[in-house]
Amino acid sequence: MTSPDTSGDREKVVSKLPSWLRQELKIRAVQHGVDMQDAVEAGIEAWRGLGSNLSPIDTSGAESFATFLPAELWSGFRADCKLRGVSLIQGLAQSVQMWLDINPAPAVKRPEIVRRIVVCNQKGGVGKTAITAGTGEALAEAPTALVPVRVSKHFAALLNEDETTRQDPLALEDLPGLGQRVLLVDFDPQGHLTRQLGQEPLPMDGDSLTNHMAGDGKGDLRDLIVPIDEDRFGDRLHLLPACTDAFLLDVRLASVRAREASLERALSPIETHYDVILVDCPPSLGLSMDAATYYGRRRPQESPGNSGALIVVQAEDSSADAYGLLTSQIEDMRTDLGLDVDYLGLVVNHYDARRGYIATSSLQSWMDIKDPRVVGVIGDLKEQKEAVRAKRPLLAYSPRCDQSVALRALAREISK
């Protein structure tokens, strides 16, 4: 069946296609940055150029499929199907499969140097743990599935957001998951990240990251790492749990030689297993924060912005004071040790424009800073609290909620 396409020299055609093949076509087209109709056109042209029939494809349960094709292509394709003795549905399925075979899924881009993202703020309660977990989850989602993303150009609209604009589906774009191998490091002795992801803190009488940083490791650090068992992350999302012995970390580091490099010495043996390592820092300006800052510094031969500090704030005044203390510490480290520490950006968390002028004016103040710039605005919605209660990753618990959508945008913004 055909109908004219008034927007150009194409006509609408309707046939059938197995749902699994249609989904794979949709994902692959997005991965290659082409329209589905162009992919179908290229597949049909390649199929018509064959000298013999392909192996049959199981088209049982095929469902209605519509697309736009150049004028005359569909009629020529129908004639070729009749000549070859195959049904129109079978010919279309073979054409789509042929395009998929010619255009395999692109490989996931791996960083040359493992990315080290230090999620920090001296102030507690701003949601560093939620941002650490959500960003890691967004980085680890399967590259073979499409997920909704709200892109950064919509940040400005948040200043005047209402329920309609916040839920506007036109502001979303379906993109493949990033497919990164991610390690989340719970560097906070309170262990919120560990518990939120359904794990238990390491026992005090066993091994821990603190022991390895202090030079007293009792085994291989990899043995402490646990996978986050959710289908959408495959085996790409792992956690290094907290241990309450981290309360003693600053005291133990005081006697450690080159203590600023202690976190790097502990984690460097496992870096080759990951593309990104995110460190959920405690609300502290002590020696542990020095070690985290050093770990996130730019290494020799590393591109600017590959690693660095991701600072989580809120749209209220006390966050500005804490931000000033943190950046002063980072600047001191830069000066004293001659480090290149990049700011990956500011994340304004728990944002709700309904709180009025204080929230909106504070957000505007953060956006006016420019360096570091705002790379994410995450709403204060119920799904995050529900996921914490359920002890599940937010992007698995509610993958299409506004917070999940915004966290995917954040992950992409700091991956540019």
Side-chain angles (χ1 to χ4, degrees), residues 176-188:
L178 296 174
Q180 299 287 290
R181 301 167 301 177
V182 178
L183 175 64
L184 304 174
V185 177
D186 194 345
F187 198 43
D188 188 340

Side-chain angles (χ1 to χ4, degrees), residues 183-184 186 193-194 197 199 224-226 228 238-241:
L183 175 64
L184 304 174
D186 194 345
L193 177 62
T194 299
L197 294 176
Q199 304 297 323
L224 305 179
I225 294 172
V226 295
I228 303 303
H238 294 174
L239 169 72
L240 178 55

Side-chain angles (χ1 to χ4, degrees), residues 198-210:
Q199 304 297 323
E200 290 298 323
L202 298 169
M204 282 284 289
D205 58 353
D207 204 4
S208 66
L209 176 60
T210 299

